[in-house]
């Protein structure tokens, strides 16, 4: 009987030690760093704004600048006919977890609320279009 109790106590102690050494499971969800966040936003903008034929974005072209040495990957919306012109929308992220910014002339137009909602949704990994 004593041997059985000693074995049970030893087994409990070993189980507690093993449990204490295990690392917790990583948090689920998308990578929140700037680059992966902007990759998700770029894919969403391309699919939902441009490839879908959405009339609010029909006159624009996406110019991704994701490989940024400044640590601020971004996407630009420019006029289709003059891609070298000043961007009408800039969406960029910085840091980890990323802080998003959207600015430019389009953010003063009625479509600004939709842009903000879409960018925030895509940044979290939700691929839905509005």
């Amino acid at each position: 009987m004593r041997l059985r109790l000693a074995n049970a106590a030893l087994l409990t102690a070993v189980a507690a030690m093993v449990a204490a050494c295990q690392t917790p499971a990583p948090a689920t969800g998308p990578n929140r760093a700037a680059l992966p966040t902007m990759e998700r936003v770029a894919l969403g903008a391309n699919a939902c704004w441009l490839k879908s034929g959405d009339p609010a974005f029909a006159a624009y072209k996406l110019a991704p600048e994701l490989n940024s040495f400044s640590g601020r990957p971004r996407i630009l919306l420019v006029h289709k006919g003059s891609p070298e012109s000043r961007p009408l929308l800039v969406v960029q992220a910085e840091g980890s977890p990323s802080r998003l910014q959207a600015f430019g002339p389009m953010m003063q137009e009625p479509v600004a609320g939709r842009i903000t909602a879409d960018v925030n949704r895509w940044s979290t990994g939700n691929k839905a279009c509005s």
Side-chain angles (χ1 to χ4, degrees):
M1 180 72 165
R2 270 191 186 168
L3 185 59
R4 212 180 270 170
L5 287 174
N7 283 342
L10 181 61
L11 184 59
T12 302
V14 169
M17 288 172 40
V18 168
C21 293
Q22 293 179 350
T23 57
T28 57
N31 185 334
R32 307 252 324 141
L35 180 58
T37 297
M38 284 310 301
E39 287 171 342
R40 289 188 297 275
V41 171
L43 290 171
N46 192 45
C48 297
W49 292 346
L50 304 175
K51 295 212 178 205
S52 69
D54 187 322
F57 297 93
Y60 308 110
K61 177 181 175 181
L62 186 67
E65 295 181 349
L66 300 176
N67 294 329
S68 167
F69 295 108
S70 69
R72 282 179 283 202
R74 64 187 189 166
I75 60 169
L76 312 172
L77 272 186
V78 296
H79 281 288
K80 269 186 184 176
S82 58
E84 72 286 344
S85 65
R86 189 173 179 180
L88 299 166
L89 175 68
V90 177
V91 180
Q92 67 183 22
E94 183 176 13
S96 182
S98 62
R99 293 173 305 282
L100 288 164
Q101 292 179 304
F103 54 91
M106 289 184 78
M107 294 306 291
Q108 305 305 315
E109 296 178 12
V111 73
R114 180 170 164 211
I115 290 169
T116 300
D118 286 347
V119 166
N120 286 333
R121 183 176 54 257
W122 298 329
S123 72
T124 64
N126 184 333
K127 298 177 182 178
C129 297
S130 56

